[in-house]
Every structure is written in C-alpha cells, then in structure tokens.
Amino acid sequence: MDNRAIGVYDSGFGGLSVWDELRRRLPHESLVYLGDGKNCPYGGRAKEEIAAFAFEAVERLVAEGVKMVVVGCNTATTAAIAELRERWPDMPIVGLEPAVKPACIGSRTRRIAVLATEHSLRSDMFLATASRYASDVEVLKVVGEDFVELVEEGMEQSEAATIAVDRVVRPLLNEGVDKIVLGCTHYPFLRPLIERVVAGCGIDVIDSGEAVARRVEWLLERYDIAASGDNEAYYSFISFADEAYRERLERRAKVLMQR
Ligand code: DGL
C-alpha cells in the first residue's frame, strides 16, 4: 500500500483527458497534475527542446513526492520516454502512445488515420509502432492543425473549433478510413465535433485514455504501490505558467468531475 500521489504531466490542458480517466478508474489514488502551460504547444518544437521540458516536469513531480508519473502527452512521450526511464529507474513512468494497434486490428477497410502533433507523427517511436502493427494497413498521418491552441483557449465549443475540425476531418471521409485515432491528449476535448463530422460514415474515433488508466492500474498492482481502499484521494494542480493558468487547470478539472 502506498498513498502517495500519482503525477500526471502534459504540455497544458490535454493531459486532463488522461487525468479524468485515471480518477474515474482509480478513485482512491491522489493525483498531482502538472500542466506546463509556459511552453505549450510542444507539437512543432525540436525533440531536444521537448525532452528538456519533460525532464523539468518530471523533476518537479518527483519533488512533489509522487510514486509514479504518467506522461499524459504523446509528444513528450515520443521525445523523451526512454531517457526519463533511464534517469528515474526506480519509479514507474507511463507514456502515452496513439492507439494504432487496436485500430489496425479492428480495421475492415485496412486504412486508418492517426491525428497527432507534427513532432509525434515524425518521431521514430511512431514510425516503429506503425511498422510493427500496421504492416498491412495504410496509416494516414494528419496533424490536427490549431486543435491544441483551441483547447488551450477553452474554445472547444466555438465556431472556430467547428471550422478547424471540419477542415482536418472532412477530407478523411473520402479516404476510405474506418478508424480515426486521436494521438494527442488535447484532441479528445474536440471529440464531440469530430464525431459530428464522421456521424453515419462507419468511422470509429479511438483515443488512448482508458487503455492508459488500465495500464496504470496494472502497474500499481505489480509494484505493490496502490493506495489503500480507504484513502481519501486529493487532486492538486501545478503549472510552469502563471497562477491564472493554474487556476484554469483546476476549474477545467472541476468541470470534468461534474460530468
Ligand atoms: N497534449 C500533447 C500530446 O498529447 C501535446 C500538445 C502540444 O503541446 O502540442 O501530444
């Protein structure tokens, strides 16, 4: 038994989609969420730069006394997960990867689309995953242009978001894909708009949130560090941006909890 918190990290608000899955599945686990905010978006940056942000973030979470870190950011995972695990070999560190495997297994048309940031899509890690699981499946790589910025601004229900999603997703309707994988943790916040575009077209939208929560649960058991059944979980929020940003993180999380 270990009642210390789990750290969850993202470039900004996106990891809250993972945070939400974790808190639903593991109600006794306390969570410390670090949304960088100062350096977001990561997606167009160089690997070394993103890796440096990720190191700073995990260092901070370790200083907060967490027992495990979930890198709730596909981009940071592709840039740094191996190095993070090397630096903190005694602490489980979970990364986020696009759900390419289940999408490929379930695809009838043998064509899928992966929506992610520019960095994630050109990373060695993504290319390796795609070649492992998608040898007989065509994978269309699509950057969700402006998606991260819209979610950061809290504009996921706006006209601008509807237009941005339409611009990215509608062309996929002519591509014969039957799965759209959300390979960036910001994108699930736009899921209702994405689903509206693909409605009635036989296309499933898949993200990694639930799978990651399951993986975390498994690791807690395996390392024997799950919180006790009577632990009253707390949720705290930190950021490298200003206090106003941190408060917005907290407010967003509250909205998710009320759903
Ligand atoms: N939420 C992040 C991801 O999962 C990164 C978004 C960004 O900062 O560009 O890829």
Side-chain angles (χ1 to χ4, degrees):
M1 290 296 143
D2 187 337
N3 288 344
R4 287 177 300 159
I6 297 171
V8 185
Y9 152 62
D10 179 49
S11 63
F13 287 93
L16 286 176
S17 60
V18 178
W19 174 92
D20 198 35
E21 296 284 354
L22 289 172
R23 113 189 135 75
R24 281 169 196 277
R25 191 168 190 98
L26 306 163
H28 298 295
E29 298 293 339
S30 295
L31 303 171
V32 177
Y33 185 88
L34 194 165
D36 177 336
K38 192 170 114 196
N39 305 298
C40 187
Y42 285 4
R45 295 179 186 269
K47 177 180 160 84
E48 295 70 27
E49 203 180 1
I50 301 164
F53 299 149
F55 267 78
E56 194 186 344
V58 176
E59 198 114 64
R60 175 66 192 275
L61 288 169
V62 169
E64 295 286 323
V66 301
K67 60 186 173 185
M68 179 193 278
V69 167
V70 179
V71 180
C73 175
N74 296 75
T75 308
T77 300
T78 55
I81 196 77
E83 293 84 351
L84 293 172
R85 288 182 179 139
E86 230 168 77
R87 166 73 181 77
W88 286 280
D90 300 328
M91 178 179 67
I93 303 183
V94 181
L96 251 277
E97 274 204 80
V100 172
K101 184 181 170 186
C104 287
I105 290 171
S107 174
R108 296 168 312 277
T109 62
R110 310 314 283 157
R111 275 169 84 84
I112 67 166
V114 177
L115 265 54
T117 66
E118 199 189 314
H119 182 277
S120 292
L121 292 174
R122 67 174 141 79
S123 68
D124 294 342
M125 190 172 183
F126 176 73
L127 298 177
T129 305
S131 66
R132 187 170 342 130
Y133 298 116
S135 50
D136 66 333
V137 174
E138 192 159 350
V139 180
L140 307 188
K141 296 186 274 177
V142 184
V143 175
E145 212 66 66
D146 298 331
F147 286 13
V148 172
E149 289 82 350
L150 285 159
V151 172
E152 285 294 305
E153 294 300 321
M155 289 174 65
E156 56 264 36
Q157 283 165 23
S158 64
E159 182 60 22
T162 306
I163 294 168
V165 167
D166 206 74
R167 200 186 310 121
V168 170
V169 178
R170 191 163 299 280
L172 297 175
L173 302 183
N174 302 320
E175 292 288 349
V177 303
D178 63 350
K179 310 277 175 200
I180 293 180
V181 177
L182 305 184
C184 168
T185 54
H186 280 73
Y187 298 179
F189 287 101
L190 295 167
R191 196 185 181 110
L193 296 184
I194 296 170
E195 282 179 339
R196 206 186 301 160
V197 176
V198 304
C201 299
I203 297 176
D204 303 319
V205 181
I206 307 174
D207 69 48
S208 315
E210 203 196 318
V212 166
R214 260 189 276 121
R215 170 91 185 143
V216 169
E217 187 174 32
W218 184 82
L219 283 168
L220 290 170
E221 293 301 324
R222 152 125 198 255
Y223 283 79
D224 197 19
I225 52 172
S228 55
D230 60 355
N231 187 43
E232 287 215 14
Y234 70 85
Y235 304 123
S236 67
F237 299 86
I238 46 185
S239 169
F240 293 143
D242 57 13
E243 175 58 17
Y245 189 90
R246 198 202 64 76
E247 282 170 9
R248 278 175 59 216
L249 279 174
E250 202 161 59
R251 275 205 301 279
R252 270 260 178 119
K254 276 204 185 112
V255 171
L256 291 175
M257 286 178 81
Q258 280 155 9
R259 275 205 318 216

